[in-house]
Amino acid sequence: MSSLNCQCQQLTTENAGQFLDSIDTVLIDCDGVLWNSNDTIDGAVETIQMLRKMGKQPIFVTNNSTKSRRQYIEKFNRLGFKVSEDEIFGTAYVAGLYLKHKLKFSGKIYLIGGSGLAEELTIQGIPFIGPGYDHVEEGEDVHNWTNIELDPEVRGVLVGFDPLISFRKVCRAASYLTDPSVPYIATNLDGRLPIPNKGRVIPGTGCLVDFVTKAAARQPTVVGKPNELMFQCVKEKFPLINPERTVMVGDRLDTDILLGKNCNLKTLMVLTGISSLEDVQHNQQSTSESLQKLVPDFYIPAFGDLHKLVKKE
């Protein structure tokens, strides 16, 4: 592309074949790459089908914690994608794996999150409390909350996306976290959700995590992108993955592309979600090493364009 130098190349009919020859595994973000909300991005289904026919392994890695793997299978099927549960790595699933196998967690979790997180914790045999409403009544005296009831069996706090977030939930989470032995885990730090409606914003999980973090005066362990834990979980299930022949495809520079850079993967940015070419150009022209790290190797207007480029060769 004319506005950016060769640090970030556009995939075209001239280089798409060479690019695909260089990879065996394709890590793919979902929201903003395969779909926006409940609308499939044009050509995405056909691109996944093409990758499979070429012998490439697609793996779906998403920071969205609202769905379990089972719930994701339902959405994939509804939108026309054929995937297996083993290929899906959402932060609800990864959080459960982290608690069960990395922390060897025992006790209850205080959960700020929804049904997807609840289902994955249940599958891992981890008890929890917290989901649902925790109302604050109008006129309620905040000073009465100094005696807020806490469950003595809670030994960890997990924060994911929760549209039912309330001041009382944050009070409980921060109160549990006054004990430094209680682990504090967040699914991800995304500031907003990718939506097609310009001029509209839906706050992401990162906003809720910031609320708890500020109140608790503690920093969480983040299991989602760009944390390398996500890729570690993928490698444990797919041990033959070669990072040098793996690409991370995503719409966000600070999560998807940074995960790829952190794990020494190739990176491919799409323009159907959060980040823009202007963001890439800003980072590329910066003298900051951290911003330079957010420059992808390649970009393409939409993931669904990839199968069209190959067909034209």
Side-chain angles (χ1 to χ4, degrees):
M1 57 194 187
S2 58
S3 60
L4 297 178
N5 65 35
C6 61
Q7 281 182 271
C8 180
Q9 301 178 54
Q10 181 176 1
L11 287 185
T12 66
T13 53
E14 285 71 34
N15 61 6
Q18 182 181 8
F19 167 77
L20 288 168
D21 287 343
S22 74
I23 61 173
D24 299 319
T25 308
V26 188
L27 305 187
I28 308 165
D29 181 40
C30 298
D31 300 273
V33 177
L34 300 178
W35 57 68
N36 273 315
S37 187
N38 290 308
D39 298 320
T40 307
I41 291 175
D42 183 52
V45 171
E46 291 80 3
T47 293
I48 296 296
Q49 292 171 342
M50 177 199 73
L51 291 171
R52 292 193 189 280
K53 288 179 181 178
M54 296 179 72
K56 315 299 182 184
Q57 173 63 66
I59 298 172
F60 306 94
V61 290
T62 172
N63 271 359
N64 190 328
S65 67
T66 63
K67 291 180 174 59
S68 65
R69 288 167 298 161
R70 179 190 60 81
Q71 291 168 326
Y72 262 116
I73 284 289
E74 293 175 356
K75 181 165 186 174
F76 274 109
N77 288 339
R78 185 171 69 250
L79 296 181
F81 297 92
K82 301 302 180 186
V83 307
S84 71
E85 189 172 286
D86 283 347
E87 294 173 329
I88 300 172
F89 291 81
T91 49
Y93 175 50
V94 174
L97 292 179
Y98 177 75
L99 286 163
K100 181 74 171 183
H101 301 290
K102 303 293 184 182
L103 291 189
K104 311 293 184 184
F105 180 80
S106 72
K108 289 182 183 176
I109 284 290
Y110 181 69
L111 174 62
I112 294 179
S115 64
L117 276 163
E119 183 171 324
E120 293 292 359
L121 290 181
T122 299
I123 289 171
Q124 298 299 332
I126 299 171
F128 58 88
I129 61 170
Y133 290 97
D134 198 348
H135 287 295
V136 175
E137 301 296 333
E138 186 174 357
E140 191 172 350
D141 187 351
V142 67
H143 295 291
N144 291 337
W145 296 355
T146 58
N147 296 316
I148 194 167
E149 184 179 354
L150 300 178
D151 186 334
E153 295 182 1
V154 167
R155 300 303 306 155
V157 173
L158 172 59
V159 180
F161 188 77
D162 186 353
L164 303 180
I165 187 71
S166 69
F167 202 83
R168 190 187 292 271
K169 286 188 176 185
V170 176
C171 284
R172 292 190 196 279
S175 296
Y176 286 121
L177 290 170
T178 59
D179 182 344
S181 70
V182 170
Y184 173 25
I185 301 154
T187 58
N188 63 290
L189 299 180
D190 297 35
R192 58 173 64 179
L193 306 184
I195 57 173
N197 296 32
K198 300 302 182 183
R200 300 293 185 272
V201 171
I202 299 179
T205 303
C207 300
L208 313 187
V209 175
D210 284 350
F211 200 175
V212 175
T213 295
K214 192 72 172 179
R218 288 181 55 182
Q219 294 296 321
T221 296
V222 181
V223 300
K225 299 172 290 185
N227 193 312
E228 295 176 37
L229 178 65
M230 180 77 84
F231 187 54
Q232 291 170 4
C233 290
V234 171
K235 287 195 295 182
E236 287 176 9
K237 187 167 288 188
F238 295 87
L240 297 182
I241 284 181
N242 178 358
E244 293 182 358
R245 294 188 58 81
T246 299
V247 63
M248 176 68 223
V249 183
D251 67 299
R252 294 186 66 116
L253 298 176
D254 59 348
T255 57
D256 304 317
I257 302 308
L258 186 54
L259 173 71
K261 299 292 185 177
N262 287 340
C263 300
N264 298 313
L265 315 178
K266 294 180 175 65
T267 52
L268 171 62
M269 175 188 172
V270 301
L271 306 180
T272 48
I274 295 290
S275 298
S276 67
L277 285 182
E278 289 74 22
D279 297 326
V280 176
Q281 186 170 22
H282 169 76
N283 294 340
Q284 192 161 275
Q285 294 174 347
S286 170
T287 57
S288 165
E289 288 187 15
S290 60
L291 290 181
Q292 284 280 338
K293 200 173 182 180
L294 300 182
V295 176
D297 300 314
F298 302 93
Y299 88 93
I300 192 170
F303 184 62
D305 294 342
L306 186 54
H307 80 101
K308 301 173 187 177
L309 296 180
V310 174
K311 284 183 178 179
K312 292 179 181 178
E313 289 188 327

